[in-house]
Amino acid sequence: MSSSVTLRQFWTGLSAEGRWLLSTVAVQTLGRGLTLPFTVIYLHEVRGFSLDLAGTLMAFIAIVALAVTGPGGALTDRIGARRVLLFSTTCQLIGCAVLAFATTPVVAAVAMAFLGINFGMSWPAFNSLIAAVTTGEQRQQYFGINFALVNLGIGVGGVIGGIYADVSEPHTFTVIFLADAASMLVPIALLLGPLRGVTGHHEAPDDDTSDGSYLAILRSPAVIGMTALTFMAVFVGYGQLEAGFPAYARQVGEVSTAVIGFSFAINTAVIVLLQFLVLRRIAGHRRTRVMLVMCAIWAVSYVALGATGVLPGPVAAACVLAYMGLFALGETMMQPTIPAITNDMAPDHLRGRYNAVNAGAFQAGAICGPLFAGVVLDRGWSSAYIVVLVASCGLIAVLALVVERLIPATVNGIPDESVPVVDPATGEHAPHGRQRD
């Protein structure tokens, strides 16, 4: 699949199952967007929990998710991605419904446990299901477009939730959490209907001598390299986006909360508007080289963020917006490449475990990133904060080059010349796109 593939050709080239899976993403994530930005507000201002307790309950989701990711990956390989997704999505539905009426910390904790089970188990299962309905360059494009649709759904849901929810009217929060629960009926119906034949389950080949354990998987240098690369990318990226960035922008840059809020809208807009364009530009390039470009863009973005500490108010605000726009552009390069490499590297019968390892690295980075930001910024080491993040972008680049030496060219996004390419628009064999670095 060359860089000239249009969105229409991509859609035409998908299997019926792939179209069903992709077409409902924005709908089901819209429900998540209704509640995601307001859960802490709901717990604190509506249910009367202290901020410390509300924060602990939110962290409990991540703890549960990390605990069940490994078992979720193993179950995906043993019973199939579809069944695991049905279970995890049902847990999300239950968690949202319970949280809608959670008036005590114990009930809220039960709800958070169900949400954590979904977050931890759905990741390896969903990525494995995507891999089951896509191949090659189409898989990379699918991951990217899925990411854009997730952001679109959450962004629209956040706007609707912000307009509707009112802390002086507690029932409005009950409504949005119940709406979030109801949105889970969409993927459940999909998995029970059009996708019931896509199990995502594969038997191990007869000549496979490995035991398929996580320990055996982690003995692979390529897996170790991808795990380290994912951890660092999330530590530098998402680990700072929700904690370090707003704290730095407020305390050091002294920009308004309105500017910070608008910057997140820019983040969503850049991803939704540019993701497919980026996918067309990176098609045929080595995925690890795409990561190098991402590193350069993120390094510049953190320089822009650092400039807010020395520039006057209006210019500092512009730098915050520039940071978020550049960061989002980097996201459009990261999100298609890391899962595509992971799933192209994984044997079919171990794809759940490979995705679980990658998800664990992602979750660890998302936990360690905010901890680092809190410690450094609380001590007033704002310059050191920026220096470490820019240097870490360099480390990600080094890891990407290490991974490049450890994985086959086909896993790295270079087409196999021995396999004919089919033009999705005509169904005829087409010449391979020129291989590029």
Side-chain angles (χ1 to χ4, degrees):
M1 187 175 294
S2 70
S3 60
S4 62
V5 170
T6 65
L7 185 57
R8 181 178 180 180
Q9 290 172 326
F10 166 77
W11 181 258
T12 303
L14 283 177
S15 63
E17 293 82 3
R19 293 176 200 166
W20 274 112
L21 191 62
L22 190 61
S23 62
T24 59
V25 169
V27 176
Q28 67 190 70
T29 54
L30 187 145
R32 190 73 192 114
L34 286 173
T35 61
L36 184 62
F38 311 111
T39 304
V40 170
I41 296 172
Y42 166 70
L43 293 173
H44 177 55
E45 298 189 37
V46 177
R47 296 308 184 191
F49 300 168
S50 69
L51 278 175
D52 285 348
L53 178 57
T56 300
L57 287 169
M58 294 297 291
F60 186 53
I61 298 176
I63 293 171
V64 173
L66 190 59
V68 303
T69 296
L75 275 175
T76 296
D77 290 334
R78 288 172 183 166
I79 66 175
R82 189 183 73 92
R83 291 180 177 176
V84 173
L85 267 180
L86 272 173
F87 172 75
S88 64
T89 306
T90 302
C91 286
Q92 175 76 10
L93 187 155
I94 294 171
C96 290
V98 171
L99 194 56
F101 302 100
T103 57
T104 67
V106 172
V107 175
V110 171
M112 297 306 188
F114 277 106
L115 297 181
I117 291 171
N118 173 64
F119 292 156
M121 299 187 74
S122 65
W123 189 325
F126 187 71
N127 280 2
S128 296
L129 202 64
I130 291 176
V133 298
T134 57
T135 57
E137 189 67 39
Q138 184 188 68
R139 182 175 292 164
Q140 175 172 285
Q141 296 213 352
Y142 196 108
F143 278 117
I145 293 172
N146 180 80
F147 175 63
L149 291 175
V150 166
N151 276 270
L152 177 62
I154 290 178
V156 173
V159 171
I160 296 172
I163 294 172
Y164 177 76
D166 185 347
V167 293
S168 65
E169 300 286 344
H171 73 274
T172 59
F173 285 86
T174 300
V175 169
I176 63 173
F177 278 102
L178 289 178
D180 190 0
S183 70
M184 294 301 104
L185 294 174
V186 174
I188 289 174
L190 186 69
L191 293 165
L192 292 174
L195 292 180
R196 63 185 179 276
V198 183
T199 64
H201 178 256
H202 299 273
E203 296 293 340
D206 294 336
D207 59 352
D208 181 52
T209 58
S210 66
D211 59 9
S213 66
Y214 282 109
L215 183 60
I217 291 171
L218 287 170
R219 289 195 186 105
S220 166
V223 172
I224 294 173
M226 276 304 299
T227 301
L229 175 62
T230 301
F231 171 83
M232 284 304 304
V234 176
F235 176 88
V236 171
Y238 295 109
Q240 309 309 320
L241 186 64
E242 297 181 3
F245 156 65
Y248 188 97
R250 282 292 294 156
Q251 295 179 11
V252 182
E254 298 181 349
V255 302
S256 68
T257 53
V259 170
I260 295 174
F262 186 63
S263 72
F264 278 94
I266 288 179
N267 178 274
T268 299
V270 168
I271 292 169
V272 172
L273 294 175
L274 295 185
Q275 181 67 84
F276 192 73
L277 176 61
V278 170
L279 287 169
R280 295 187 67 190
R281 296 292 297 174
I282 68 177
H285 290 279
R286 296 180 190 274
R287 291 163 178 164
T288 48
R289 303 295 173 91
V290 174
M291 292 294 291
L292 296 184
V293 177
M294 181 210 76
C295 292
I297 291 173
W298 276 5
V300 174
S301 76
Y302 280 113
V303 171
L305 181 62
T308 63
V310 296
L311 295 174
V315 182
C319 286
V320 165
L321 300 182
Y323 157 80
M324 191 59 94
L326 289 168
F327 181 87
L329 181 59
E331 287 183 85
T332 64
M333 299 178 185
M334 170 187 168
Q335 286 292 341
T337 52
I338 287 181
I341 291 175
T342 300
N343 282 277
D344 284 353
M345 181 170 58
D348 288 338
H349 68 291
L350 296 177
R351 187 162 281 125
R353 289 178 176 87
Y354 271 71
N355 277 298
V357 170
N358 187 256
F362 194 105
Q363 292 161 351
I367 292 171
C368 293
L371 290 176
F372 161 76
V375 170
V376 173
L377 294 178
D378 185 60
R379 286 161 174 74
W381 299 338
S382 57
S383 297
Y385 174 75
I386 297 298
V387 169
V388 169
L389 292 177
V390 172
S392 296
C393 289
L395 177 57
I396 297 170
V398 172
L399 289 170
L401 292 175
V402 170
V403 169
E404 182 174 301
R405 297 172 61 89
L406 296 174
I407 59 177
T410 52
V411 171
N412 205 13
I414 300 300
D416 186 347
E417 293 292 346
S418 65
V419 178
V421 177
V422 177
D423 187 331
T426 65
E428 298 177 352
H429 293 313
H432 283 275
R434 181 167 61 90
Q435 293 185 11
R436 294 161 289 179
D437 289 335

